[in-house]
Amino acid sequence: MERLTNTVIQTNCGKRFDLSRAFPFARNLAAPYGAHNFAVYKANGTYYIKGYNTGTNDKVLDAFELISENEAMKYLNH
């Protein structure tokens, strides 16, 4: 994946989003960084994006994917 700015991310399907303009919906960004880290954002009013850590300790979130609204709502109950 090409390196983007701190707030512009690219999902696994290739769509780009600026997370500085997205609403943080749910998250677990506890240290130390690892596979337990995730964040869910609502972007552009219609897209839900899940950011997660694939096991690296360099960044809190290093992978992003689009998810459904139903899946995003499940993270509110965790």
Side-chain angles (χ1 to χ4, degrees):
M1 186 163 109
E2 91 183 69
R3 191 131 177 104
L4 303 173
T5 67
N6 287 337
T7 62
V8 176
I9 58 93
Q10 184 170 330
T11 63
N12 58 351
C13 66
K15 288 191 178 284
R16 290 184 182 197
F17 296 92
D18 184 349
L19 294 183
S20 69
R21 297 170 185 244
F23 175 74
F25 200 67
R27 57 185 157 196
N28 174 9
L29 303 178
Y33 302 156
H36 62 277
N37 295 121
F38 75 89
V40 176
Y41 299 91
K42 185 173 184 180
N44 300 343
T46 57
Y47 294 99
Y48 290 89
I49 303 161
K50 177 185 173 189
Y52 56 95
N53 186 300
T54 60
T56 180
N57 58 6
D58 296 338
K59 292 180 76 176
V60 178
L61 306 174
D62 63 342
F64 298 89
E65 64 184 47
L66 292 177
I67 61 173
S68 69
E69 182 177 6
N70 287 338
E71 188 175 350
M73 293 298 173
K74 291 178 186 177
Y75 283 97
L76 287 178
N77 298 325
H78 279 96

